[in-house]
């Protein structure tokens, strides 16, 4: 109604968005029966707005990949089944072999989420194989540029230099020049997570296990390869991380909470990490009272979830509060309320656009049931260009001749 009855412009109010970030190397396992703890569904007062979920080592055998191409993969379906009754919609996803990245948001945020790009960066086999690498979703959220990256870096203690090279390569490949998107280092927020495979140097297996048993993590932090790299690499130092107050998340015997008892007896390590980087850093000056930043991120929790035993890794989650002053406060498209449609000939769809909305020949309007799970969950759709009957004073009217059942996303990449 505010869009239909513009009055005196008002300053957009600050918003606080709660975001749950999940990273888990699932070691080709199927989803367990219950993920309530992982998704924080057992916390009544959490009020999450968005989920960012990154999985590594999903089952990527030939038959599995063929099945997942034709249908939703089991993990995506599981998360949608759990989250859609809570008003979350899968807005975007990207997969590269065993890597999967999912982004969910609550319904009322959808008009202010614009997916700009999804990208896969393989780094395995000299950059040609996607068993290692990163997948990225680039978006605008309330007018701010945000990139989320899920990665799987090379394993083994001796490959630390290679891990750092792959980290740099993934970052360098996130260029969007042809799409008129700023360089990723100019984005307001980068969330970077995954199985980074960094290990604990110098200390022997017995010392590491005893330190974990006694919850004496401080000595282990000093020898953590990622912590060491951040002390020497200026770019990596720009990425922040919460305190590692949980036990190393790798390597466990499957279906147990016991660290590796195989012949190899791999040394435990914090391989699974969640990092973030803000473009706009609030300046800390105790003698000067500054206004609240327009865009700031605070970490509420950074934990592992030991109860999940389907993999040799334990999942890790972070809960963030993102406080921002919206740069976009009016939806780019406003649909006008309609009465009851009794016949197809009665259908008249009216909507208005903001002046900066870039229309496209591929614009379409989808008809969805209440409780949609994802953007492809429409019942039917119509092309705007083929059914437009009037356009005046920013108001567009569409009279569908008939709704279609095919997939518009298979024909082009339209505006929605």
């Amino acid at each position: 109604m505010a869009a239909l009855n513009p009055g005196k412009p008002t300053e957009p109010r600050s918003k606080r968005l709660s975001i749950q970030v999940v990273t888990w190397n699932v070691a080709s396992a199927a989803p367990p029966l219950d993920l309530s703890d992982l998704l924080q569904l057992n916390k009544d007062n959490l009020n999450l707005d968005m989920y960012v979920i990154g999985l590594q080592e999903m089952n990527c055998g030939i038959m599995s990949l063929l099945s997942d191409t034709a249908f939703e993969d089991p993990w995506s379906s599981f998360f949608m089944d759990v989250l859609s009754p809570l008003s979350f919609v899968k807005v975007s996803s990207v997969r590269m072999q065993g890597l999967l990245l999912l982004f969910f948001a609550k319904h009322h945020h959808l008009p202010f989420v614009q997916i700009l790009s999804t990208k896969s960066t393989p780094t395995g086999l000299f950059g040609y194989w996607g068993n290692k690498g990163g997948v990225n979703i680039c978006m605008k959220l309330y007018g701010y540029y945000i990139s989320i990256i899920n990665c799987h870096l090379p394993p083994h203690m001796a490959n630390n230099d290679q891990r750092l090279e792959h980290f740099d390569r993934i970052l360098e490949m996130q260029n969007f020049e042809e799409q008129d998107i700023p360089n990723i280092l100019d984005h307001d927020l980068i969330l970077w997570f995954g199985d980074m495979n960094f290990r604990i140097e110098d200390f022997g297996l017995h010392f590491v296990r005893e330190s974990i048993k006694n919850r004496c993590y401080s000595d282990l932090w000093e020898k953590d390869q990622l912590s060491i790299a951040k002390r020497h690499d200026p770019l990596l130092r720009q990425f922040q991380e919460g305190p590692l107050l949980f036990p190393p998340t790798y390597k466990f015997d499957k279906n147990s909470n016991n660290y590796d008892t195989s012949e190899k007896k791999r040394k435990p390590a914090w391989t699974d990490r969640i990092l973030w980087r803000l473009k706009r850093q609030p300046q800390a000056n105790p003698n000067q009272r500054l206004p609240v930043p327009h865009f700031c991120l605070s970490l509420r929790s950074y934990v592992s979830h030991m109860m999940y035993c389907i993999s040799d890794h334990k999942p890790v989650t972070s809960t963030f509060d993102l406080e921002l002053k919206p740069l976009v406060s009016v939806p780019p498209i406003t649909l006008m309320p309609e009465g009851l449609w009794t016949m197809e000939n009665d259908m008249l769809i009216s909507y208005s656009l903001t002046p900066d909305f870039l229309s496209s020949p591929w614009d379409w309007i989808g008809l969805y049931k209440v409780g949609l799970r994802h953007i492809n969950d429409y019942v039917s759709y119509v092309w705007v260009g083929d059914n437009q009957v009037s356009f005046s004073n920013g108001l567009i009217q569409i009279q569908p001749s008939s709704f279609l059942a095919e997939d518009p996303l298979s024909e082009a990449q339209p505006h929605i």
Side-chain angles (χ1 to χ4, degrees):
M1 293 303 296
L4 297 178
N5 301 290
K8 183 179 179 181
T10 58
E11 183 79 8
R13 292 182 179 179
S14 292
K15 282 186 172 292
R16 176 175 292 180
L17 308 178
S18 292
I19 305 171
Q20 178 82 350
V21 179
V22 177
T23 180
W24 194 2
N25 183 320
V26 297
S28 299
L33 295 176
D34 184 10
L35 287 176
S36 297
D37 187 77
L38 186 75
L39 300 174
Q40 304 282 42
L41 302 181
N42 47 6
K43 295 187 178 179
D44 297 333
N45 59 346
L46 197 58
N47 295 325
L48 287 167
D49 295 278
M50 296 167 189
Y51 283 94
V52 175
I53 301 172
L55 304 180
Q56 307 87 40
E57 287 195 20
M58 286 180 57
N59 189 346
C60 56
I62 296 297
M63 294 306 297
S64 176
L65 284 174
L66 289 173
S67 173
D68 294 349
T69 301
F71 310 100
E72 288 284 354
D73 67 86
W75 282 93
S76 295
S77 294
F78 184 91
F79 286 122
M80 286 188 289
D81 289 343
V82 172
L83 295 176
S84 62
L86 304 175
S87 299
F88 286 94
V89 177
K90 189 186 82 171
V91 183
S92 184
S93 65
V94 56
R95 181 167 181 188
M96 180 179 69
Q97 290 182 218
L99 278 169
L100 176 67
L101 178 58
L102 303 168
F103 175 64
F104 289 83
K106 279 199 168 174
H107 279 103
H108 61 274
H109 296 300
L110 297 185
F112 304 100
V113 178
Q114 182 184 1
I115 301 300
L116 301 175
S117 172
T118 59
K119 193 164 190 175
S120 301
T121 305
T123 59
L125 195 64
F126 307 103
Y128 293 101
W129 191 242
N131 64 322
K132 296 293 184 291
V135 287
N136 167 264
I137 296 174
C138 173
M139 72 182 81
K140 290 185 83 171
L141 177 64
Y142 286 96
Y144 294 92
Y145 285 98
I146 294 178
S147 275
I148 52 179
I149 302 174
N150 173 27
C151 74
H152 193 184
L153 302 182
H156 306 310
M157 176 74 72
N159 289 335
N160 192 41
D161 288 344
Q162 190 180 15
R163 275 188 284 280
L164 296 173
E165 288 173 8
H166 285 207
F167 189 97
D168 290 342
R169 191 182 310 167
I170 293 169
L171 191 63
E172 289 170 4
M173 293 300 292
Q174 308 310 312
N175 50 57
F176 312 98
E177 293 177 2
E178 69 281 0
Q179 297 162 285
D180 197 27
I181 301 172
N183 182 282
I184 189 170
L185 294 178
D186 291 321
H187 290 188
D188 299 285
L189 172 64
I190 303 172
L191 290 169
W192 193 326
F193 46 88
D195 179 2
M196 298 189 179
N197 261 320
F198 290 105
R199 307 304 168 102
I200 297 172
E201 293 184 346
D202 298 342
F203 297 131
L205 175 64
H206 178 74
F207 180 85
V208 171
R209 289 195 172 181
E210 283 298 307
S211 297
I212 296 169
K213 182 180 177 181
N214 297 318
R215 297 191 176 186
C216 296
Y217 302 136
S218 55
D219 289 336
L220 304 183
W221 297 336
E222 292 298 315
K223 297 298 181 179
D224 169 68
Q225 290 178 331
L226 178 56
S227 301
I228 294 171
K230 289 179 70 175
R231 292 197 288 267
H232 297 92
D233 187 324
L235 180 58
L236 196 53
R237 197 181 306 138
Q238 296 176 21
F239 286 86
Q240 302 180 62
E241 183 180 18
L244 295 169
L245 302 179
F246 50 86
T249 54
Y250 174 84
K251 173 181 171 84
F252 290 87
D253 292 335
K254 289 186 179 181
N255 303 311
S256 82
N257 283 326
N258 300 319
Y259 284 106
D260 189 13
T261 59
S262 69
E263 291 184 6
K264 294 183 178 179
K265 289 189 178 178
R266 292 180 180 86
K267 191 163 54 173
W270 286 288
T271 55
D272 310 279
R273 312 292 276 267
I274 298 174
L275 313 178
W276 74 93
R277 178 187 183 272
L278 283 170
K279 177 187 172 185
R280 296 178 173 88
Q281 298 285 356
Q283 297 180 7
N285 186 344
N287 299 319
Q288 183 181 6
R289 189 170 182 177
L290 296 174
V292 177
H294 285 231
F295 189 95
C296 62
L297 190 76
S298 57
L299 178 67
R300 193 190 302 184
S301 71
Y302 188 31
V303 297
S304 65
H305 299 262
M306 295 291 290
M307 70 285 297
Y308 298 112
C309 301
I310 61 172
S311 169
D312 53 355
H313 290 251
K314 301 297 182 183
V316 173
T317 63
S318 285
T319 307
F320 293 99
D321 285 330
L322 176 60
E323 189 163 340
L324 55 84
K325 188 168 286 187
L327 301 178
V328 177
S329 55
V330 176
I333 299 173
T334 302
L335 283 168
M336 308 304 168
E338 292 293 339
L340 180 66
W341 287 332
T342 56
M343 296 178 60
E344 192 169 277
N345 292 338
D346 294 337
M347 293 182 182
L348 185 65
I349 303 171
S350 305
Y351 64 94
S352 62
L353 305 176
T354 55
D356 57 347
F357 182 83
L358 298 177
S359 295
S360 160
W362 300 108
D363 288 347
W364 57 278
I365 294 175
L367 185 65
Y368 293 81
K369 289 183 179 180
V370 173
L372 70 152
R373 289 152 43 100
H374 57 90
I375 203 67
N376 294 331
D377 226 0
Y378 57 86
V379 177
S380 189
Y381 75 96
V382 292
W383 295 107
V384 170
D386 294 341
N387 296 273
Q388 183 173 320
V389 293
S390 72
F391 176 78
S392 62
N393 298 324
L395 184 67
I396 300 173
Q397 290 189 316
I398 305 296
Q399 188 162 33
S401 55
S402 62
F403 274 94
L404 305 173
E406 296 87 359
D407 185 357
L409 295 177
S410 67
E411 298 185 39
Q413 185 61 44
H415 294 244
I416 299 168

